[in-house]
Amino acid sequence: MATGEVKKVVLAYSGGLDTSVIVPWLRENYGCEVICFCADLGQADELEGLEEKALASGASKLIVRNLREEFIRDYILPTMQVGAIYERKYLLGTSFARPIIAKHQVEVAALEGADAVAHGATGKGNDQVRFELTYFALNPHLKIIAPWREWTIRSRQDALDYAAEYNVPVTATAEKIYSRDRNLWHLSHEGGVLEDPWNEPEEDMFQMSVSPQAAPDEPEELTISFVQGVPVAANGSQMGLVELVDYLNAVGGKHAIGRVDLVENRLVGMKSHGVYETPGGTILYTAHRELESIVLDKETLRAKDRIALDYADLVYNGRWFTPVREAYDAFVQTTQRTMTGDVRMKLYKGNVIVVGRRSPFSLYNEDLATFGPDMVYNQKDAEAFIKLYGLSMKVQALMK
C-alpha cells in the first residue's frame, strides 16, 4: 500500500491485543493518523486505562461514547420483541453490537474528517461482514481497512512479537486460553478447549454465572413488568433499561441462568463452537414470550414466529441497516401496543420457571376455558365445526 492513500483512519478499538497492534501497523503501512474509537456497551473494567494504552500505541486520540442506553433501546429490545434467536439458542449478543459500533464509528469519521475506517475482525469470522455492511449502508465513500486480510500476522505469538517490537503496551500473554466478547447483554467464549465440540467447558471459564450445582438450593421469585413490550420494573421496582439489565444479569447469574453451549453456522460457511452467558437476556426473553401468550391472538403470534427466524438471520449476518429489517420492526411494533402486564417466574438452578402471567389486555377468557358449568360456549357447536374442518380427510378416505 502506497503511503499517503489514506490520511486519517478511525479504528474500532477495544484495547485488546489485536486492535492495539493495528494502531502502529496502520501508521507503518498507510502513513496515516489513527483515531481510536471505543463504544461503551457495558464492557465494565475492560475500559480502564484505555486512553493511555491507545496513545501509547501511537493513536492521536481516543474517543469513547457511552452507548449502553441506545444499545438496549434501539438494538436489543427490537430483537427481543421480535423473538429472534439464532439457530435455536443464541440471543445475538455480539451480532447486534457490531452495527451500533460501526454506526458511531462512521459518525466519528465524519466529525474528524477521516477518509477511512478500520476494524480488527478476522477474515474467518462474522464480524468483518457486520462492520463492513454497516459502513456500506451509512457511508459507502469511506475506505475500509481490514488488517487481518492484509498483514502477515498469523498467530497470537506473531501479534505479541509485533507489539514488543513497536513497544505497544498489552496485557495479553501467549497463554491466554479464550477469545471473549463482552457487553451488558452477554459474554461469549471461543477458542481453547472449546475448539473441540466434544469437550465440556471448564467451570473457571464462566464469569457471569455460577454452575447449577453452586446455585442456591431455594428458588427465587421474580416478577418482570412490561409497558407496550418494554420491560420497566422488576419485583415492582421501576428501573431504567441499563439498570434493569444489570440487575437481571446479577440475579440470573446467581441462579445459573443463561448458559448456552452452541455449535453454530458462521456466515462465511464454517461451523464454530462457542459458549455464551446471557443471564438477564434469558430472563427477559422468557418473560416477554409468556406475556405474548395471553395478549396476542394466534395468527399474529404465528406471523411473529415466522418473522423471528428471518430477523435472527438478518442480525447475525450483519444486515441491520436494511429496509426489510425496518419493515419487520414496523410490523412488530404494532403487536407491542397491548404488551403491557406482568410475568412471575421462579429462578432455580439454571431454569426460568414461569408461574404466572397477567395483563389488562389479556385475551384469556376464563368463562370460555373453564371445565366447569359453561354458559358461554355451547359444546354441541363443535360437531358441525369438526365435520367441516375434517371434510377433506373424510373425502380422501372415501375415495380409497
Side-chain angles (χ1 to χ4, degrees):
M1 179 61 62
T3 299
E5 287 192 18
V6 174
K7 295 179 180 178
K8 187 183 297 186
V9 59
V10 176
L11 168 65
Y13 182 75
S14 68
L17 177 60
D18 290 349
T19 55
S20 292
V21 298
I22 285 174
V23 176
W25 184 89
L26 287 169
R27 287 167 53 85
E28 178 188 19
N29 290 273
Y30 284 86
C32 59
E33 178 185 352
V34 180
I35 296 173
C36 290
F37 168 69
C38 178
D40 178 2
L41 301 179
Q43 300 93 310
D45 56 0
E46 293 179 18
L47 299 179
E48 293 179 6
L50 209 59
E51 183 174 19
E52 294 83 355
K53 185 182 294 186
L55 297 178
S57 300
S60 62
K61 67 170 73 171
L62 170 71
I63 297 173
V64 179
R65 288 187 176 182
N66 183 345
L67 306 178
R68 288 174 289 175
E69 184 86 18
E70 179 183 341
F71 183 39
I72 301 177
R73 183 189 67 237
D74 296 342
Y75 295 80
I76 292 175
L77 283 186
T79 305
M80 182 197 73
Q81 289 168 345
V82 174
I85 301 174
Y86 185 71
E87 296 192 336
R88 306 170 184 167
K89 290 183 177 181
Y90 176 37
L91 300 188
L92 297 161
T94 296
S95 304
F96 46 39
R98 300 307 180 241
I100 186 174
I101 295 170
K103 172 194 171 187
H104 283 268
Q105 190 182 359
V106 168
E107 290 181 6
V108 169
L111 292 171
E112 297 291 330
D115 51 351
V117 287
H119 62 76
T122 72
K124 286 186 175 182
N126 303 302
D127 283 344
Q128 57 182 336
V129 181
R130 297 163 182 159
F131 276 113
E132 294 181 32
L133 293 192
T134 303
Y135 302 152
F136 291 163
L138 302 183
N139 188 346
H141 302 293
L142 286 168
K143 179 175 178 58
I144 300 170
I145 304 174
W148 271 102
R149 302 203 297 258
E150 297 183 32
W151 63 16
T152 57
I153 294 175
R154 288 293 175 265
S155 68
R156 187 167 189 80
Q157 189 59 56
D158 287 347
L160 289 168
D161 292 343
Y162 191 94
E165 180 181 352
Y166 287 88
N167 297 315
V168 176
V170 294
T171 57
T173 68
E175 287 73 35
K176 179 187 176 186
I177 299 175
Y178 301 106
S179 172
R180 290 186 168 101
D181 178 75
R182 182 168 193 154
N183 56 50
L184 52 74
W185 187 244
H186 88 156
L187 174 61
S188 67
H189 312 266
E190 291 182 322
V193 298
L194 299 179
E195 291 186 352
D196 182 349
W198 182 251
N199 288 335
E200 180 179 357
E202 298 169 333
E203 187 55 40
D204 61 4
M205 177 193 74
F206 294 95
Q207 299 182 4
M208 293 182 71
S209 59
V210 303
S211 69
Q213 296 91 329
D217 292 330
E218 295 296 327
E220 180 170 349
E221 191 164 293
L222 174 67
T223 299
I224 303 295
S225 302
F226 293 87
V227 174
Q228 295 188 340
V230 177
V232 296
N235 289 334
S237 297
Q238 299 288 317
M239 299 184 190
L241 290 174
V242 174
E243 181 187 7
L244 180 60
V245 171
D246 282 341
Y247 170 75
L248 294 179
N249 279 333
V251 70
K254 181 177 74 173
H255 290 279
I257 306 300
R259 290 186 174 189
V260 166
D261 188 318
L262 173 65
V263 175
E264 67 194 64
N265 290 290
R266 285 183 181 173
L267 175 59
V268 295
M270 68 184 74
K271 289 185 182 291
S272 65
H273 179 216
V275 172
Y276 300 100
E277 296 178 80
T278 320
T282 300
I283 293 170
L284 284 176
Y285 260 74
T286 302
H288 187 269
R289 184 170 58 242
E290 286 299 320
L291 186 59
E292 285 184 325
S293 72
I294 62 170
V295 167
L296 299 185
D297 65 274
K298 178 179 177 179
E299 295 305 320
T300 299
L301 199 56
R302 295 294 189 276
K304 274 189 79 270
D305 286 346
R306 290 191 291 270
I307 288 174
L309 191 62
D310 286 343
Y311 201 101
D313 282 340
L314 283 173
V315 176
Y316 189 86
N317 296 339
R319 305 186 70 85
W320 185 272
F321 292 101
T322 55
V324 65
R325 198 271 307 166
E326 294 175 357
Y328 282 156
D329 277 353
F331 167 74
V332 171
Q333 285 308 303
T334 66
T335 72
Q336 301 301 293
R337 294 171 182 167
T338 57
M339 278 288 291
T340 296
D342 308 298
V343 176
R344 193 169 78 251
M345 300 163 286
K346 288 184 178 179
L347 310 181
Y348 182 66
K349 292 191 178 295
N351 298 289
V352 182
I353 305 165
V354 177
V355 295
R357 68 287 279 164
R358 65 185 179 188
S359 169
F361 301 102
S362 175
L363 300 178
Y364 182 87
N365 188 317
E366 190 172 349
D367 290 337
L368 289 174
T370 180
F371 285 92
D374 190 349
M375 304 300 294
V376 179
Y377 183 92
N378 187 342
Q379 297 192 31
K380 290 185 177 181
D381 292 343
E383 181 179 356
F385 162 74
I386 294 171
K387 287 180 178 179
L388 292 176
Y389 185 67
L391 181 62
S392 63
M393 300 172 67
K394 187 175 183 178
V395 170
Q396 288 176 1
L398 291 172
M399 293 298 294
K400 293 177 182 177

